[in-house]
Amino acid sequence: GDGSLLGAARALCRSSTPVLGVNRGRLGFLTDIRPDELEEKVAEVLGGDYLSEQRFLLEAEVYREGERIGAADGLNDVVLHPGKAARMIEFELFIDGQFVYSQRSDGLIVATPTGSTAYALSGGGPIVHPRLEAITLVPMFPHTLSSRPIVIDAASEIILHISASNSTYPHISCDGQTQVVAKPGDVLKIRRKSERLTLIHPLEHNYFEICRTKLGWSNRLGE
């Protein structure tokens, strides 16, 4: 499934090893070869008939009183959330050193274009084509109706100051698979990772066809 590919992506991007996905899960946004066509499609790829694209990842670092206490990577997203406590958290957002807003909410989803069709989509974020160098910030149930998703340059540095007034210990989750537990007063820094994932597709790969199939979009009139 896509979850297996996310784990492989975080490990293999460091060595520039290309990744080809076979869908054994449910949705399969990233794993676009069906099990029944495995031999045929893999043979085509090994024969040189394939498409290759680069996908960027995010790296997250948590600082406590100036000292780094944890770090993790994500191909889909980095999510600040309350953890096991069903309570709002308060934080301040800075982009490239500029103050953006302070917010009370269930957290913030910071997503790559790859992750724009994952958790961020469920939170009301936009679908971002994977060729774009952009990062999406999607508030999770904010305590104000004026908070909306923001799309920024992928070269930006994102800093979240977790308010010292929080009564819970927020969690930072990457791809929903790795996490760092923060405490009130910690600082979360997120930036684009220097290493990239090389993702391999069969020649007939079509991003918008995948969106139609996986998201239930309508086909052309008359079809």
Side-chain angles (χ1 to χ4, degrees), residues 88-198:
M88 283 190 170
I89 54 178
E90 187 171 6
F91 58 89
E92 292 182 333
L93 170 65
F94 294 81
I95 298 175
D96 289 333
Q98 296 184 345
F99 174 70
V100 181
Y101 55 60
S102 59
Q103 184 177 103
R104 291 185 69 245
S105 66
D106 282 2
L108 186 71
I109 304 169
V110 181
T112 66
T114 302
S116 70
T117 51
Y119 194 20
L121 184 62
S122 300
I127 295 175
V128 181
H129 194 279
R131 284 203 297 264
L132 290 178
E133 292 289 313
I135 296 173
T136 305
L137 287 72
V138 182
M140 299 167 60
F141 300 103
H143 199 242
T144 171
L145 296 177
S146 62
S147 293
R148 291 291 183 265
I150 302 174
V151 181
I152 63 174
D153 187 348
S156 303
E157 181 184 56
I158 301 160
I159 297 179
L160 298 174
H161 288 262
I162 302 169
S163 175
S165 64
N166 286 301
S167 58
T168 60
Y169 280 45
H171 291 204
I172 293 94
S173 174
C174 294
D175 290 342
Q177 297 179 343
T178 60
Q179 70 176 13
V180 178
V181 179
K183 64 179 292 187
D186 285 354
V187 175
L188 169 62
K189 296 183 179 181
I190 304 170
R191 64 178 65 87
R192 180 176 56 189
K193 191 174 176 64
S194 58
E195 298 91 351
R196 296 187 176 227
L197 169 69
T198 301

Side-chain angles (χ1 to χ4, degrees), residues 76-89:
N76 269 352
D77 47 44
V78 176
V79 181
L80 173 69
H81 62 96
K84 297 180 180 179
R87 303 187 64 175
M88 283 190 170
I89 54 178

